[in-house]
Amino acid sequence: MQYAKVSISSVDTSALKTLSEEKTNELLKKAKDGSRRSRDELIKGNLRLVLSVVQRFSSRGENPDDIFQVGCIGLIKAVDNFDLTQGVRFSTYACPMIIGEIRRYLRDNNPVRVSRSMRDTAYHAMLTKESLTNEIGREPMVEELAEKMGIDRRKVIIALESVSDPVSLSEPMYTDSGDAVSVADRISGGYEEKDWLDEMFIRDAVRALTKREKQILNRRFIVGKTQTEVASELGISQAQVSRLEKGAIGKIKGE
């Protein structure tokens, strides 16, 4: 699907002009002083920025006009909230705002349900991220978000991951010599579907092992130690190591 000629309000955006950085800053100053005309001109002059973001969501199957209009809301928020004193290019600030607005729209229309508390934490994190981005002039790290929100960094990560956009394993990432390379190709290193499914089952089986069994398998097959060396480290006999090792492998095979 082509996005170069997306129309909104009967306007062909491919014919829109772009603003120079100098002109953008001039209009931003006037808009901050209350000029409605400068604000409107600034929004129209940055619609191509919205188009560039919309292209990132082309594989989602959503109506491009809807995504474009949602992106425009993000652009308007960027115009109204941009701080000229921070010394950051407007496009650098606006792009994450537009992306965030589109992602919120997609999440709200996502059939996968997330708990209200988790969603609230995620939205709080995104608002904090936008605020910090404007404050420090760059995208904040997870640790900085967690500190600002006063919660554990793991909660921030889990919350943001819970509302992130799902990606199909068959979605093409790029083209290599004419052949499309999918997400699954990059994850599995070229394995067939059965291979990475088996790997998932193996990981589940390993999680079910006892702590001692995990220790033995780790030392034997990851570190590369002999049964005698493992026995010496754990303070048990070589025969016990052999028995536990065989038992753990048997459990994994059974799964």
Side-chain angles (χ1 to χ4, degrees):
M1 184 173 291
Q2 298 295 322
Y3 287 85
K5 295 184 178 180
V6 174
S7 295
I8 180 170
S9 300
S10 301
V11 176
D12 181 5
T13 55
S14 65
L16 292 173
K17 297 181 180 180
T18 57
L19 299 174
S20 65
E21 185 177 359
E22 183 180 354
K23 182 64 175 179
T24 297
N25 290 334
E26 178 188 334
L27 291 173
L28 280 167
K29 291 177 182 178
K30 292 181 178 179
K32 292 297 181 183
D33 291 336
S35 173
R36 194 78 178 180
R37 182 176 180 179
S38 295
R39 180 176 180 269
D40 292 343
E41 185 178 349
L42 188 61
I43 293 170
K44 291 179 180 178
N46 281 277
L47 289 180
R48 277 193 171 276
L49 181 61
V50 178
L51 281 177
S52 67
V53 173
V54 167
Q55 293 177 11
R56 302 184 186 188
F57 299 88
S58 60
S59 63
R60 293 299 302 265
E62 299 286 341
N63 187 312
D65 289 336
D66 292 341
I67 300 299
F68 182 84
Q69 292 181 52
V70 173
C72 288
I73 295 175
L75 173 62
I76 293 171
K77 288 183 177 180
V79 170
D80 292 341
N81 293 287
F82 185 70
D83 187 353
L84 281 163
T85 64
Q86 294 299 319
V88 180
R89 287 173 61 93
F90 175 71
S91 58
T92 302
Y93 174 77
C95 193
M97 293 282 282
I98 296 169
I99 293 174
E101 197 66 33
I102 293 175
R103 283 179 173 169
R104 274 192 289 273
Y105 167 79
L106 294 174
R107 278 192 293 270
D108 289 342
N109 290 275
N110 196 328
V112 179
R113 297 301 177 187
V114 179
S115 69
R116 180 60 182 271
S117 61
M118 187 73 72
R119 185 183 292 272
D120 288 345
T121 300
Y123 285 164
H124 183 200
M126 288 186 288
L127 289 174
T128 303
K129 183 177 180 180
E130 291 176 1
S131 175
L132 276 177
T133 298
N134 189 33
E135 181 180 328
I136 63 181
R138 60 172 174 81
E139 190 169 308
M141 296 184 293
V142 175
E143 289 77 7
E144 293 172 318
L145 276 178
E147 183 179 355
K148 186 75 172 180
M149 296 171 65
I151 62 177
D152 187 86
R153 66 184 298 275
R154 289 173 295 182
K155 291 184 178 180
V156 176
I157 294 172
I158 293 172
L160 291 175
E161 287 293 331
S162 71
V163 295
S164 62
D165 300 327
V167 178
S168 170
L169 290 174
S170 60
E171 181 175 337
M173 295 178 64
Y174 61 88
T175 301
D176 184 12
S177 300
D179 297 324
V181 179
S182 68
V183 175
D185 292 330
R186 296 297 295 165
I187 294 176
S188 64
Y191 293 164
E192 296 295 332
E193 179 180 354
K194 182 179 183 298
D195 293 321
W196 61 263
L197 284 174
D198 286 345
E199 184 178 341
M200 291 174 62
F201 293 141
I202 290 173
R203 288 181 180 177
D204 288 339
V206 170
R207 292 192 187 100
L209 298 179
T210 65
K211 182 179 179 180
R212 177 57 59 84
E213 289 171 333
K214 291 177 183 177
Q215 288 176 330
I216 291 174
L217 291 184
N218 178 69
R219 285 166 170 75
R220 287 282 289 126
F221 302 108
I222 303 299
V223 181
K225 295 193 174 184
T226 65
Q227 289 184 350
T228 302
E229 289 173 329
V230 175
S232 177
E233 283 188 9
L234 299 181
I236 59 178
S237 67
Q238 183 271 330
Q240 286 178 296
V241 171
S242 178
R243 178 176 57 81
L244 289 169
E245 179 184 314
K246 290 180 180 178
I249 294 174
K251 288 180 182 178
I252 294 174
K253 288 182 177 180
E255 289 294 330

